[in-house]
Amino acid sequence: MVDVAAIFKAYDVRGVVPDELDESVARAAGAAFVEVLDVLAGPGAVVIGYDMRPSSPALAAAFAEGVAGTGVDVIDIGLASTDMLYFASGRLQLPGAMFTASHNPARYNGIKMCRAGASPVGAESGLRDIADLVAKAVAEPPVSVPAPGKVTRKNLLTAYADHLNDLVDLRDIRPLKVVVDAGNGMGGHTVPAVFATGPVEIVPLYFELDGDFPNHEANPLDPKNLVDLQAKVVEVGADLGLAFDGDADRCFVIDEQGAPISPSAITGAVAVRELAKHPGSAVIHNLITSHAVPELIAEHGGTPIRSRVGHSYIKQQMAETDAVFGGEHSAHYYFRDFWRADTGMLAALHVLAALGEQDKPASAVFAEYERYKASGEINSRVDDAAATVAAIEDTYAGRDGTTVDHLDGLTVDAGQWWFNVRASNTEPLLRLNVEAGDAATMERVRDEVLALITGKPVEEKN
């Protein structure tokens, strides 16, 4: 029997198909989703989308059966990116479920759930209750109601593209050539619709929808998955490169020289653009983004608000503060104009607008938002994460000019450098991020902390 507790994570459902996630779990999840969100008494319908993975249509259909079996109607939008599902949830004011495993390998699938208006369903806001009901239903399947809800197909791709283009109008920018690597994921479905007209010439890479990912994993966070895009940008003399993950809710950016532009620089650039339209607004940034981000927000008249890592925390803070925008180090970007949901496509449009409104190349435009040297996220396997973090804190706490906080894991800030170390929610890993004013300092601090994590000194590089 499937271990339901193991596949329900902090923010979504994710597991190997069919060993950890199968149609019986999806069907039970549909019924539980209706009960926990009280859909029958509220909006009366649920919107469902799915990605290109071979298992996605069947899992989505099973979830729809579970929903309909409670008497609730289903709006099936078919193939979709995750941000397209959020669009549907926001536009239709319905709770939604997206079947995708995002950037994970082909054997995985999962469910991302939201309330009406794309509000998050996290561990503390319904996901644990859904998991408990699913576990009971898998053990003893319930009897469906006599009058099930109906399932209706609805194509929202054009409406989604039109909404994004209304938010960022590219018609007056200079012509741009842009290579897009969809990684055989849902960007291959949404990019042609979003860029159907206008001055942006798209050079497609791996637009064929294929959930087996024959070219590379749809995980742009791993540098090896950017190699083809970087080479193509240089080969065709493109102005920019964009890489989307499997469900196309995250976007990574490559400059004209083939060099990655950090998500923190993109966060800073988009924040400046949004503050120009909405002066004085709050902007959320998670605590792993570069210190350049809150500096830029403050310099442009905004209020920077620091958040824990994770979409449910950022969306909650955006709602509480009416923030206009939020950004994460992992290339998730959240917009008030998009129901506070994350959309890599809207971030990409902002990037293209920022570039196309001036004559400088991307490397020069976005260098203005890169002020410090960062390590990137470094994962280390540990036996006892809590003890390791405590030992690190003992080493650094109390040093002159050093502050410590525990908003999310352990953050140590010495002014000219800082680092954060936090435990993974799902694996025996510690995640380390270091930033400093220069590369030498960053590398020194990085290696010091890694030595504490691993229990052995980091080998010097020749």
Side-chain angles (χ1 to χ4, degrees), residues 236-253:
V236 302
D239 297 288
L240 201 73
L242 302 174
F244 291 93
D245 64 349
D247 60 337
D249 64 345
R250 288 189 297 160
C251 181
F252 291 73
V253 184

Side-chain angles (χ1 to χ4, degrees), residues 194-223:
V194 173
F195 295 95
T197 60
V200 179
E201 176 192 349
I202 298 296
V203 179
L205 261 184
Y206 312 138
F207 271 38
E208 304 81 8
L209 300 183
D210 190 337
D212 290 324
F213 307 115
N215 296 289
H216 59 71
E217 287 186 353
N219 179 15
L221 195 59
D222 188 335

Side-chain angles (χ1 to χ4, degrees), residues 33 272 284 309:
F33 184 72
V272 168
I284 310 295
V309 173

Side-chain angles (χ1 to χ4, degrees), residues 55-304:
S55 60
S56 290
L59 289 172
F63 188 94
E65 288 176 14
V67 171
T70 68
V72 169
D73 293 339
V74 173
I75 306 297
D76 177 2
I77 65 170
L79 281 168
S81 59
T82 291
D83 67 328
M84 187 173 155
L85 185 279
Y86 291 149
F87 165 79
S89 174
R91 174 65 63 89
L92 302 175
Q93 281 299 299
L94 295 176
M98 175 68 190
F99 281 80
T100 180
S102 184
H103 60 282
N104 287 279
R107 67 184 185 278
Y108 285 85
N109 214 321
I111 319 172
K112 294 183 177 181
M113 305 178 191
C114 63
R115 297 176 182 271
S119 297
V121 176
E124 305 301 326
S125 56
L127 199 57
R128 286 179 181 160
D129 296 329
I130 292 171
D132 290 342
L133 290 175
V134 170
K136 293 176 184 177
V138 169
E140 187 176 345
V143 178
S144 296
V145 298
K150 62 181 180 180
V151 179
T152 304
R153 289 296 300 268
K154 192 175 185 69
N155 187 337
L156 292 177
L157 180 60
T158 299
Y160 159 82
D162 289 345
H163 179 70
L164 293 176
N165 283 305
D166 286 343
L167 293 175
V168 180
D169 189 347
L170 298 180
R171 286 176 296 184
D172 293 331
I173 68 170
R174 64 183 170 92
L176 296 174
K177 180 185 287 189
V178 179
V179 181
V180 177
D181 186 344
N184 298 110
M186 291 312 303
H189 181 63
T190 56
V191 167
V194 173
F195 295 95
T197 60
V200 179
E201 176 192 349
I202 298 296
V203 179
L205 261 184
Y206 312 138
F207 271 38
E208 304 81 8
L209 300 183
D210 190 337
D212 290 324
F213 307 115
N215 296 289
H216 59 71
E217 287 186 353
N219 179 15
L221 195 59
D222 188 335
K224 72 174 181 288
N225 296 321
L226 295 175
V227 171
D228 292 353
L229 174 61
Q230 292 170 300
K232 194 68 172 180
V233 166
V234 174
E235 175 193 333
V236 302
D239 297 288
L240 201 73
L242 302 174
F244 291 93
D245 64 349
D247 60 337
D249 64 345
R250 288 189 297 160
C251 181
F252 291 73
V253 184
I254 302 298
D255 71 19
E256 83 288 353
Q257 299 174 3
I261 300 172
S262 80
S264 285
I266 301 302
T267 297
V270 176
V272 168
R273 288 179 53 81
E274 288 285 45
L275 287 169
K277 291 191 298 181
H278 306 283
S281 296
V283 176
I284 310 295
H285 64 98
N286 78 16
L287 77 172
I288 310 299
T289 56
S290 170
H291 277 195
V293 172
E295 292 171 2
L296 285 159
I297 295 167
E299 288 166 9
H300 287 82
T303 302

